[in-house]
Amino acid sequence: AIIVLTKRRMIMSSTNNYLVALAIVDIAYLVLTLILNTAQHPCFIGLTLSDILSTICRPIADFSSNTSVWLTVTFTVERWVAISYPLQSRTWCTVHRARKIIISVMCAALICTSPSAFEMKLVRIMEIINSTNSNEQPKIINRIRAKPTALGNSLLYHQIYFNFVT
């Protein structure tokens, strides 16, 4: 869809601009949720890479999801304007205005979903493993774990943010 809709004469439509932006954030959301779901599989739980991917991918997936919803709303409003006011829609539904709205929606979604980036933090944990053989030195293993921050542990934050913002 992105390749077809970005052809020179196709991108000159405000509708196609919305569809391209929607396709991009939908692809990002699908890839990131695939990564998150795979990282939550029992064979990956507890691995450093799983914690790192979960901490990084979740806020970006939240942003993509929010952006996708609001781009669908703006696209629907534009279609309503085109049907309800066909004469004015030529001046109201322009490519330039569509691009401004797309950027505005992305900025608003980024602001609304930015708190989720501060719910978890990565912490380095050093584990000392003693050997069964008394002649061997103990091994020190560095691991990175995702731990909730004060914001991530806050019940009030979860009630307000998840119920009213997202």
Side-chain angles (χ1 to χ4, degrees):
I2 294 169
I3 293 169
V4 170
L5 292 172
T6 54
K7 298 263 187 216
R8 187 173 195 156
R9 67 188 159 95
M10 297 290 284
I11 200 67
M12 299 314 288
S13 160
S14 62
T15 300
N16 290 351
N17 278 269
Y18 284 113
L19 292 174
V20 168
L22 189 59
I24 291 169
V25 295
D26 283 347
I27 288 171
Y29 179 72
L30 290 172
V31 169
L32 292 167
T33 53
L34 175 68
I35 291 169
L36 288 169
N37 287 333
T38 304
Q40 295 302 316
H41 190 276
C43 69
F44 297 115
I45 290 178
L47 293 179
T48 297
L49 183 61
S50 175
D51 284 351
I52 292 171
L53 287 176
S54 296
T55 304
I56 293 171
C57 291
R58 188 170 162 268
I60 302 169
D62 288 347
F63 163 75
S64 298
S65 172
N66 236 322
T67 304
S68 178
V69 168
W70 287 107
L71 282 175
T72 303
V73 170
T74 57
F75 172 72
T76 304
V77 168
E78 184 192 75
R79 295 293 83 216
W80 173 79
V81 167
I83 292 167
S84 299
Y85 305 99
L87 298 177
Q88 292 91 346
S89 71
R90 293 214 182 266
T91 56
W92 293 348
C93 303
T94 63
V95 172
H96 184 66
R97 184 168 286 152
R99 289 179 182 169
K100 281 183 178 180
I101 291 171
I102 290 166
I103 290 171
S104 299
V105 164
M106 289 181 148
C107 289
L110 184 63
I111 290 167
C112 286
T113 59
S114 62
S116 66
F118 302 103
E119 292 175 9
M120 300 293 282
K121 64 180 176 181
L122 295 173
V123 178
R124 181 179 303 275
I125 297 173
M126 296 176 63
E127 296 177 8
I128 299 173
I129 300 175
N130 290 322
S131 172
T132 56
N133 187 351
S134 61
N135 294 338
E136 290 183 26
Q137 293 282 338
K139 292 183 181 179
I140 299 174
I141 298 175
N142 285 319
R143 295 181 192 250
I144 296 177
R145 294 285 177 247
K147 300 287 181 187
T149 62
L151 183 66
N153 282 328
S154 171
L155 181 62
L156 180 64
Y157 162 74
H158 284 285
Q159 288 174 336
I160 292 171
Y161 184 68
F162 288 109
N163 291 330
F164 297 109
V165 176
T166 61

